[in-house]
Amino acid sequence: MVPSVAAFYEFVLKGRKRLGYRVQMDTTTTNVAETDAELPGALLELQNHGVPLKHASLVLLRVENNGFTYIDTHDYVALDDDRVGIRFFFPNRKVVGTVITELSNDSLRANFRDLRTSFREETDRRPAGGVIELPKVPMNRNAHYKVLAALERVPGVTGEPAPPTLEGEIKDGRIQETQSRTNTPKRVITLVSFLVLLIVAQLAVFLRSNSGAPLDCATGHVTIYGSTAFKPIVTEAADAYRDVCAGASFAFTMEGSGEGVAVLDDHGRAGDKGEFIAFSDGRKADGMPALLGRPISFFLFALAVNPDAGVRDLSLAQVRDIYAGKITNWKAVGGNDVPIRLITRHRGSGTRAAFKERVLGATVEAPPTVDVCPHDSGREPFVCEVGDTEKLLATVADTSGALGYGEAGAAAATEGVVTVRIDDHPPTVTEADAHLYPFWQTEYAYTTGEPAARSLTASFLRFLTTQTGADILRSHGLRPCAELADPASCQPVRAGPS
């Protein structure tokens, strides 16, 4: 009962969604003591559009996710079309300048295009004051950012300025002011000491027991087929599963979504009693009624280009013209004078199917012009096909002017490759979930019929979607379907701009 109560307090009451903030600095730029030298220097010469600030002050704000769970843009209590998540109000001061001084992760940078300020006139209920409007920033656990603001006292006001106040709420959570501590609180030391003693006692009981396996561990052997783009993720998850369930083993024959689902269907028709899973970038083809699919994750893809091309952003129309063979040199889209070499996937690839469905649409692709992808062919463009994501990205990196596509996390991690924005939108879950970035797909896990509840197949799929495997999905920039508003469809749910 004691560990149950402690866990409930830590992870349910305290560990819900929680946004913390603290004012790390709030000071005027004038001396509070007489000095012989002019030490303040430039601090006394702050200006706003050429006009010196008479009563300037500097404020440094820190905003952090100090809860136990991820905070998404829809967790802020605000209207869907309101880009502002929280506001800081400064009584009797107006904001004359702001800058983001620190990001815990560079992926937060794109969110601050909507950083704005405003001024509220005095009313019967509150004094006049400036406002910093901060956007709905999605934040992983322990993520943070800092905002440095320069302020000027409202004319006619005397005395020390009042501290800033925060306005905003988090759904199923709270926003609270935090304190910076250099020493561990005594109550934390007491709790930790108690829990250590409790763990030691539990360990002694555990060592006396006959079984140390986790409750959901299963033994056996599973063969996994399907998507080459998803292979690095599922192999990492299988390794993590084996670390805690020693009696499990996995074999991987992942050569493409279409081929994997077809092999799984053949096993089913032959009455094979082994355990098999096929992962597919998108739904299975028709004519396989015995196969049951489970949406696993919201899966992002990205265009990948060799740096010699000199491009970082393409419009959707430009991408379609390139793959239709209408544009054959990067110079035509603002890049370098380098021929375009298209590296595509073989037919039957789930990644290729996703590219066709989400990006090309009705555009007819130019056919392959060479059987094997050369590293170079002088000044000639070419189109070639490869069998898997890893080889495609390696070929793009080694081939001047090459353009291809693959899983977004793998593309970002491949040296010699640059990911391309589409219509100025980067390949992120936030952009795709807002219907701004088009190149995504739902990743499905297919089995022949419903696997037995205690089988390794069923246990591994539960592990992949609700346990450590879900953390692995997030680490690759994906989103487990269970975390979306509509897990069964596993697709963006919020409407984009009209």
Side-chain angles (χ1 to χ4, degrees):
M1 291 179 64
V2 172
S4 298
V5 172
F8 179 81
Y9 175 73
E10 282 294 314
F11 301 119
V12 177
L13 294 183
K14 290 185 64 179
R16 61 182 180 171
K17 293 176 182 177
R18 189 169 60 195
L19 198 65
Y21 74 95
R22 59 178 182 262
V23 181
Q24 294 187 308
M25 176 181 70
D26 188 353
T27 181
T28 61
T29 58
T30 56
N31 272 326
V32 296
E34 293 184 2
T35 61
D36 293 333
E38 295 183 0
L39 296 179
L43 292 177
L44 296 178
E45 299 180 9
L46 294 178
Q47 299 181 357
N48 181 26
H49 299 292
V51 179
L53 303 183
K54 296 181 179 180
H55 303 284
S57 58
L58 296 175
V59 175
L60 181 62
L61 304 170
R62 175 188 171 101
V63 180
E64 59 192 349
N65 180 359
N66 59 356
F68 188 70
T69 58
Y70 175 81
I71 293 179
D72 204 347
T73 54
H74 60 73
D75 291 321
Y76 293 86
V77 178
L79 296 176
D80 290 343
D81 59 353
D82 187 356
R83 292 280 182 160
V84 179
I86 57 176
R87 294 173 170 85
F88 281 95
F89 175 65
F90 297 85
N92 295 321
R93 286 185 284 179
K94 57 183 177 181
V95 182
V96 296
T98 59
V99 64
I100 303 299
T101 62
E102 182 177 310
L103 299 173
S104 61
N105 189 299
D106 195 59
S107 64
L108 299 176
R109 188 180 307 276
N111 294 283
F112 291 97
R113 294 174 182 172
D114 291 324
L115 180 62
R116 294 173 292 184
T117 63
S118 60
F119 186 80
R120 295 175 182 170
E121 299 294 340
E122 182 178 1
T123 66
D124 294 337
R125 297 184 178 182
R126 65 159 186 262
V131 179
I132 297 178
E133 299 179 343
L134 295 171
K136 301 174 182 176
V137 181
M139 303 176 71
N140 288 323
R141 185 184 179 191
N142 296 325
H144 73 271
Y145 60 88
K146 293 183 179 180
V147 182
L148 178 65
L151 302 106
E152 171 73 315
R153 193 165 61 190
V154 173
V157 175
T158 60
E160 290 296 321
T165 59
L166 183 140
E167 301 171 357
E169 295 183 47
I170 295 292
K171 299 174 184 177
D172 300 322
R174 58 180 173 172
I175 301 178
Q176 64 178 25
E177 186 173 5
T178 60
Q179 300 293 329
S180 177
R181 298 186 177 94
T182 56
N183 297 315
T184 306
K186 291 183 179 180
R187 64 178 183 177
V188 173
I189 296 177
T190 302
L191 177 62
V192 170
S193 299
F194 172 72
L195 291 177
V196 167
L197 291 175
L198 192 61
I199 291 171
V200 170
Q202 288 180 320
L203 179 62
V205 175
F206 173 78
L207 293 176
R208 292 173 178 268
S209 66
N210 295 324
S211 174
L215 181 63
D216 198 28
C217 266
T219 59
H221 179 82
V222 171
T223 302
I224 298 179
Y225 304 100
S227 167
T228 62
F230 201 63
K231 183 177 180 180
I233 300 164
V234 74
T235 52
E236 184 178 343
D239 289 340
Y241 187 93
R242 280 192 294 256
D243 287 342
V244 294
C245 302
S249 65
F250 300 84
F252 300 92
T253 309
M254 304 183 76
E255 299 178 353
S257 298
E259 182 174 338
V261 172
V263 171
L264 178 66
D265 187 57
D266 290 341
H267 281 300
R269 294 179 187 277
D272 197 324
K273 300 300 182 183
E275 293 195 55
F276 308 97
I277 305 173
F279 288 94
S280 174
D281 307 338
R283 294 186 181 276
K284 65 181 180 179
D286 294 336
M288 301 179 183
L291 302 189
L292 297 182
R294 296 164 183 77
I296 299 297
S297 74
F298 183 65
F299 199 23
L300 279 175
F301 298 96
L303 290 171
V305 68
N306 185 282
D308 291 348
V311 298
R312 297 294 184 272
D313 178 76
L314 293 170
S315 70
L316 196 58
Q318 288 172 332
V319 174
R320 290 170 176 172
D321 285 347
I322 288 172
Y323 276 87
K326 297 178 181 179
I327 298 176
T328 58
N329 192 293
W330 289 114
K331 187 176 181 180
V333 291
N336 298 326
D337 186 11
V338 176
I340 298 175
R341 283 74 181 262
L342 295 180
I343 318 299
T344 67
R345 292 290 305 278
H346 289 144
R347 297 185 184 278
S349 159
T351 305
R352 179 170 178 167
F355 182 64
K356 173 68 176 174
E357 177 185 353
R358 304 291 182 183
V359 179
L360 294 186
T363 300
V364 178
E365 295 180 71
T369 58
V370 293
D371 293 332
V372 178
C373 298
H375 287 308
D376 206 340
S377 62
R379 300 294 298 172
E380 295 298 321
F382 61 77
V383 181
C384 65
E385 296 180 345
V386 296
D388 59 64
T389 297
E390 183 178 0
K391 185 175 181 180
L392 183 146
L393 293 174
T395 304
V396 171
D398 292 340
T399 307
S400 178
L403 174 66
Y405 46 79
E407 190 267 316
T414 301
E415 291 188 15
V417 164
V418 176
T419 57
V420 178
R421 292 175 175 236
I422 299 178
D423 286 327
D424 203 33
H425 295 291
T428 64
V429 172
T430 301
E431 296 287 300
D433 199 19
H435 290 262
L436 299 175
Y437 181 79
F439 196 6
W440 60 271
Q441 190 57 279
T442 301
E443 188 69 22
Y444 286 89
Y446 283 97
T447 58
T448 304
E450 192 70 42
R454 296 182 180 273
S455 67
L456 176 56
T457 296
S459 177
F460 179 64
L461 290 177
R462 288 192 294 269
F463 176 85
L464 183 61
T465 55
T466 61
Q467 301 175 40
T468 304
D471 294 332
I472 293 173
L473 291 173
R474 297 186 201 99
S475 72
H476 284 264
L478 310 182
R479 184 74 62 82
C481 288
E483 296 182 0
L484 297 181
D486 187 4
S489 63
C490 199
Q491 58 184 328
V493 295
R494 292 194 300 277
S498 58

